[in-house]
Amino acid sequence: MGSLEEEKTFTDADTFEKNQCKRNGEINGNVFTSEEKESKNSKSATSELPAKTKPRFPKQTTKPITKSKIFDLLILIWFSIECIICHVALLTIAVALSPLLITYNILKTLERLFAWATRGAYSVSGQDALWQQDSDTNRLIITSVLIAPKSENIEKELVKFREVVLERMVKAKNDCGELIYPRVRWCIRPGYFQYFFEEEKNFQIEKHVYKYEGSEPTSKDELEEIVSKLSGEPLPENLSPWYYCAVPTNYGNKDIIVIFRAHHSMADGVSLARFLTGKLPDYKIPLKEPVKFSSKRRLPNFAKAFFIMGRVFFKQLFRSSNKSVLHGPELSGVKKVVWSTATDLELIKKIKTVTGTTINDVLMTCLSMAIRGYYKRRGIQNPPDFEACIPVDVRPFKKELSFENRFAVVFLTLPSSIDGALAQLDETKARMDIIKTSGEPISMAWLMHLAVAFCPEALIKPILGFISSKASCVLSNVPGPQVPIQIAKKEIKSLTFWPPQRNIIGIGLSIFTYAGMVFVGVQCDVALMTDPGVVLEEYSKAVKELSNAVLMST
């Protein structure tokens, strides 16, 4: 890319159109969210629109250039050589460490058998154990907020909700008579070489579903303070790591706020979202299967992921760290959370249809613009790019619903250094398309699982911490049902969540689509950011700016 001064010689639309044409054929890639399937069909959808609403930036074809093909071939050959060299280097390291790894895994197996025989404990899998790395400054706990209408008798409603949780979560069984969520009655305890699930003694639903004991909040600011305080606290010891806390409010419509917290070792965000919106409601709402990189062309993707796995490891290990005022300072452990009002999902769909992008592209662009706006309001006139650590779901969609961790982590550099809404959308899409076709998400999933499953925690913890800490935030985008749900005969008005951060990362961003609305959440450590509400203000401005740039001109 050129300098900002050079970019300013073109209008946003000119820049966007030229870059779109340059990347001919890259529009219809796979994506991460539940709306991806719609975006894949956007081409056919727009062909049925009136002429004035067809995409402003049609794809163009260019005549192949022989020199360009030769250059691309040379790049491919060099890339293949790099992958082979990295595989050899990784294999050499594994062989050198093999005596240690073999001894460790023999001891681990013996401990697993002894624990199961003596106290019925089950070993925590590698993907789940990966999240047993809490610190005083970052709790690896997923926090979410559900908003329901007011109740005249909160105690009576709480009893009904406990019965629902018992029936649909604690005691829920599949067609074979097996518990669907056995982890909700298990504690996590450390062993010598691994972690174990053990059944919680004297399980009582009242310890997991209860009413907030403090004063009722009289404003949204007070409610956010309560959620912020709870989000920084550890979960109770000797109990299964989850709870629901009902907070009655005394402002506005006097809604009931249900705070649901669950440790990441129990389940990831997609598992919890599917449960909250699919199993816990009074009636089942079928979810559309999202089109994602792991659901199409599975065999070629797996082959590519295996070939580049060694290169991905060394690439992440030696990748430079993101440098900005929002990354690096020592964290305080004091958290602050905020969440947005609803954004109309139809508006986002219109933008993606006109531009030939995806809903995920549009939302990521709006967040990138929001970060740029935040930098500017802090006096940084030339904001840097902002690197985000993004969890990507890799489980088969039709797999039996359960609590587990089945995801990979990829790193996306949001182009917050670029000015202009359309220019940012263009660059965001380009960077996301590269990730979608790279095979890196699957490679990262395999590397994470193998590392934690076969290597000692003392070796893996600093390596994973070193790699993950190079990003400035954790950004999670989870799709929800597009019709309202009811739980215990109460319609849920909105749902927001915040992904946990690890090591020195102190900012978490979230996107949740529900009932035709988009909700954005921001969680931050006050040592990095004391005013997360500014990010939401800039996000709202970004949506308006992007919609004006795209829709008003058509």
Side-chain angles (χ1 to χ4, degrees), residues 422-474:
L422 294 177
Q424 278 223 30
L425 177 59
D426 178 48
E427 186 60 26
T428 300
K429 174 177 174 51
R431 296 180 183 186
M432 293 190 68
D433 285 348
I434 290 173
I435 292 176
K436 296 165 197 171
T437 58
S438 67
E440 286 191 16
I442 300 176
S443 292
M444 286 296 295
W446 290 346
L447 285 168
M448 290 165 59
H449 177 74
L450 293 173
V452 179
F454 296 104
C455 299
E457 183 181 3
L459 175 64
I460 293 303
K461 185 174 181 178
I463 294 177
L464 292 178
F466 177 71
I467 292 175
S468 63
S469 63
K470 295 183 180 184
S472 292
C473 82
V474 177

Side-chain angles (χ1 to χ4, degrees), residues 35 39 42 46 78 98 104 129 144 147 156 161 163 203 234 240 268 298 302 312 317 331 334 412 439 480 502 537 553:
E35 314 303 339
S39 116
S42 64
T46 54
W78 176 246
S98 58
Y104 168 76
S144 56
I147 301 180
K156 184 178 179 180
F161 185 61
E163 293 175 353
F203 179 90
S240 185
D268 59 25
R298 184 176 292 271
F302 282 4
V312 168
L317 192 63
L331 304 182
V334 179
L412 172 68
R502 63 165 67 232
E537 293 174 11
S553 59

Side-chain angles (χ1 to χ4, degrees), residues 338 522 529-538:
V338 293
V522 182
M529 180 187 290
T530 58
D531 49 358
V534 173
V535 177
L536 296 183
E537 293 174 11
E538 292 297 324

Side-chain angles (χ1 to χ4, degrees), residues 145-155 157-158 223 245-249 253-259 490-494:
V145 164
L146 296 83
I147 301 180
K150 69 176 183 179
S151 174
E152 299 299 330
N153 189 333
I154 182 66
E155 297 296 340
E157 293 295 335
L158 194 59
L223 176 61
C245 178
V247 183
T249 61
N253 296 323
K254 297 185 176 181
D255 294 327
I256 299 175
I257 311 300
V258 178
I259 303 170
K490 291 283 186 180
E491 184 174 300
I492 303 302
K493 294 183 175 181
S494 69

Side-chain angles (χ1 to χ4, degrees), residues 506-535:
I507 297 176
L509 304 174
S510 66
I511 302 171
F512 190 78
T513 53
Y514 167 71
M517 301 175 286
V518 181
F519 298 95
V520 173
V522 182
Q523 182 184 48
C524 63
D525 190 288
V526 296
L528 298 179
M529 180 187 290
T530 58
D531 49 358
V534 173
V535 177

Side-chain angles (χ1 to χ4, degrees), residues 166-178:
L166 272 174
E167 176 187 351
R168 302 171 191 173
M169 182 177 177
V170 178
K171 298 180 179 180
K173 296 183 179 181
N174 57 23
D175 296 337
C176 299
E178 301 170 335

Side-chain angles (χ1 to χ4, degrees), residues 531-551:
D531 49 358
V534 173
V535 177
L536 296 183
E537 293 174 11
E538 292 297 324
Y539 165 77
S540 297
K541 290 181 182 178
V543 174
K544 293 178 182 178
E545 181 181 348
L546 187 57
S547 63
N548 289 337
V550 173
L551 301 181

